[in-house]
Amino acid sequence: MTENNYPDYDSTSYHLNVRGSKVLPNSGSRSSIQSSPYTLFLESGQGKQIVDVDGRQLLDFNNNFTSLIHGHCHPAIVEAAREQISKGSAFSFGSEIEIRLAELLCQRVKGFEQIRFMNSGTEAVMNGIKAARAYTGRAKIAKCENSYHGSYAAAETSLAVEPTDLSIQDPISKAYSAGTPQGVLDDVVIIPFNDVENSRRILDEQGPMLAGILFDPFGAGMGRVAPSQAFINLLAEMRDTHGLLLISDEVIAFRANYDGCMSQFNVPADLTCLGKIIGGGFPVGAVAGSRDIMAVFESTDKKARLPHGGTFNANPVTMAAGYAAMEMMTPEEFQRINALGQAFRGAITNVITQLNVQANVLGQASVFAIDIVDPVAGSLPTGRGAMRQIEGIDAAFINAGYFLSPGLHGSLSTAMDENDIEPFCDTLKTILQAL
Ligand SMILES: Cc1ncc(COP(=O)(O)O)c(C=O)c1O
């Protein structure tokens, strides 16, 4: 807890926003971290705590948007990265640690025979799409409306559509960034998330032209609402009927289980896009799949069907930190952190019931989210990815010593335990009562 109140226009963070905005658009390099009225600047992080430049301590429920599954500066990860940096941070040669991380991941997940590393989840999704296109020789992909998959133009199509669009049974392919070429939009087919009937109709019509269906098995809004088994079964059926590939975006979802998120549906994906936790806190992305499909990256005497370079791909620091992080994520540790997620969701539900607040407690595995129902607009159509922001609530949590992701989303780290539940629920109660 801190004496500082947010917002504070005398604070160092505020002054850094002003100074930064002279040389950086919005004073930074990530649209996703901008907050209103200004973004906090961080000094350090240790375990589950972060400290901002004004000395404010916060319990970090954001964990760099779910990527820091062990929280900040886990000693084993720091040591692995430090040791590698002292030997060199990047080479244009192979390094054994890349093979070790690939072996670790391939041993865990059915369907991972080979992996290709890159530097972000965005690149993973881009290469997943390009691999499906190279393998099938088809141009189009399908994806769910409002589903976030990073900032590759095809993958961001129809993200953040207006609430009025949500009543449309045939969602439209809509540009997210200004200036997106119409040709990109023409090759993206949008389906309504978790709507089996309408998705079946659209996919049956478009199926023969589709290279693949890109989807997030953690569902809408960073795991807020999971896809139904029936929806996943439909995607698998479409694969069999139309010869397209299932591209599972597990950039966040890979934190769900030891053997990948699709194991819980018993439907293996053809290509899986990875990122976040597998880099141990360093920039990372990866695509995994069968040897047959991953052969698109392979050159023999001829150029590969999908040539893929990258100056920092599989850089040994990321590989070493990622290996240390993933090695610690044993089946027991996945179980513990998922049980903690369930305990958080249960305790939050109790607070909401006690106070008789109209709200839905969402989430799965090691994430939770609180959707407070608008008395006028009603419950959100969360199944299609919408998310509500309540004025002032993020600031209230910051002032109480907690940093949540937008839409009151919390992502747990292994640095947390049962003792964190009660203080958080007491704070939640106080904030809800004040609202
Ligand atoms: C599901 C999903 N896919 C892709 C990405 C893009 O990953 P990155 O931010 O590493 O480019 C994200 C990022 O949050 C994500 O949540």
Side-chain angles (χ1 to χ4, degrees), residues 30 65-66 119-123 125 147-151 216 222 249-253 275-276 284-285:
R30 294 168 77 179
F65 280 96
T66 76
N119 295 299
S120 67
T122 291
E123 282 178 68
V125 169
S147 179
Y148 183 67
H149 297 283
S151 46
D216 184 342
M222 300 204 293
D249 178 352
E250 302 197 19
V251 169
I252 289 183
K276 306 236 188 213
V284 77

Side-chain angles (χ1 to χ4, degrees), residues 147-188:
S147 179
Y148 183 67
H149 297 283
S151 46
Y152 180 51
E156 68 178 14
T157 303
S158 292
L159 180 61
V161 295
E162 297 300 318
T164 48
D165 295 344
L166 294 170
S167 60
I168 300 171
Q169 289 182 340
D170 285 78
I172 45 173
S173 187
K174 196 168 171 180
Y176 183 58
S177 307
T180 303
Q182 186 59 42
V184 169
L185 304 178
D186 291 345
D187 281 332
V188 183

Side-chain angles (χ1 to χ4, degrees), residues 33-47:
I33 64 165
Q34 268 164 47
S35 330
S36 179
Y38 63 84
T39 306
L40 293 182
F41 273 65
L42 259 271
E43 182 66 33
S44 63
Q46 192 68 52

Side-chain angles (χ1 to χ4, degrees), residues 32-286:
S32 49
I33 64 165
Q34 268 164 47
S35 330
S36 179
Y38 63 84
T39 306
L40 293 182
F41 273 65
L42 259 271
E43 182 66 33
S44 63
Q46 192 68 52
K48 60 191 170 190
Q49 298 284 347
I50 46 178
V51 182
D52 77 1
V53 288
D54 293 290
R56 178 197 313 276
Q57 271 202 33
L58 298 162
L59 192 128
D60 190 6
F61 275 127
N62 174 279
N63 281 304
N64 195 25
F65 280 96
T66 76
S67 61
L68 301 175
I69 199 155
H70 297 294
H72 301 266
C73 292
H74 189 290
I77 300 176
V78 171
E79 188 43 39
R82 199 198 308 275
E83 191 190 326
Q84 182 57 51
I85 290 170
S86 71
K87 293 195 279 188
S89 63
F91 309 108
S92 42
F93 297 90
S95 61
E96 191 196 344
I97 188 65
E98 176 182 2
I99 300 176
R100 288 181 68 203
L101 181 56
E103 285 170 346
L104 179 150
L105 296 169
C106 286
Q107 276 156 15
R108 290 185 181 190
V109 185
K110 199 171 145 197
F112 285 14
E113 286 180 344
Q114 289 194 318
I115 296 193
R116 188 88 174 181
F117 289 108
M118 48 223 67
N119 295 299
S120 67
T122 291
E123 282 178 68
V125 169
M126 174 182 78
N127 282 297
I129 292 172
K130 287 172 78 173
R133 286 173 170 160
Y135 185 78
T136 60
R138 302 174 183 173
K140 285 192 176 188
I141 59 143
K143 67 155 291 215
C144 296
E145 176 194 47
N146 258 328
S147 179
Y148 183 67
H149 297 283
S151 46
Y152 180 51
E156 68 178 14
T157 303
S158 292
L159 180 61
V161 295
E162 297 300 318
T164 48
D165 295 344
L166 294 170
S167 60
I168 300 171
Q169 289 182 340
D170 285 78
I172 45 173
S173 187
K174 196 168 171 180
Y176 183 58
S177 307
T180 303
Q182 186 59 42
V184 169
L185 304 178
D186 291 345
D187 281 332
V188 183
V189 172
I190 304 295
I191 53 173
F193 176 69
N194 263 352
D195 177 343
V196 173
E197 197 183 320
N198 285 305
S199 294
R200 177 189 293 284
R201 182 174 46 74
I202 297 166
L203 290 170
D204 260 335
E205 195 184 299
Q206 299 284 338
M209 276 93 75
L210 292 175
I213 306 173
L214 172 68
F215 66 99
D216 184 342
F218 221 33
M222 300 204 293
R224 276 183 165 70
V225 182
S228 65
Q229 181 72 49
F231 189 69
I232 296 290
N233 289 347
L234 169 76
L235 304 188
E237 185 191 325
M238 292 295 115
R239 161 177 52 198
D240 298 342
T241 309
H242 299 295
L244 51 84
L245 302 188
L246 293 191
I247 311 167
S248 177
D249 178 352
E250 302 197 19
V251 169
I252 289 183
F254 204 60
R255 69 156 43 230
N257 299 303
Y258 181 77
D259 52 356
C261 195
M262 286 300 275
S263 66
Q264 69 202 42
F265 297 103
N266 216 10
V267 171
D270 300 297
L271 285 163
T272 302
C273 310
L274 302 171
K276 306 236 188 213
I277 68 167
I278 67 158
F282 287 82
V284 77

Side-chain angles (χ1 to χ4, degrees), residues 61 63 69 255 337 340-341 344 366 368 410-414 416:
F61 275 127
N63 281 304
I69 199 155
R255 69 156 43 230
I337 194 175
L340 189 60
F344 261 98
S366 51
F368 67 80
S411 157
L412 306 184
S413 73
T414 60
M416 296 172 181

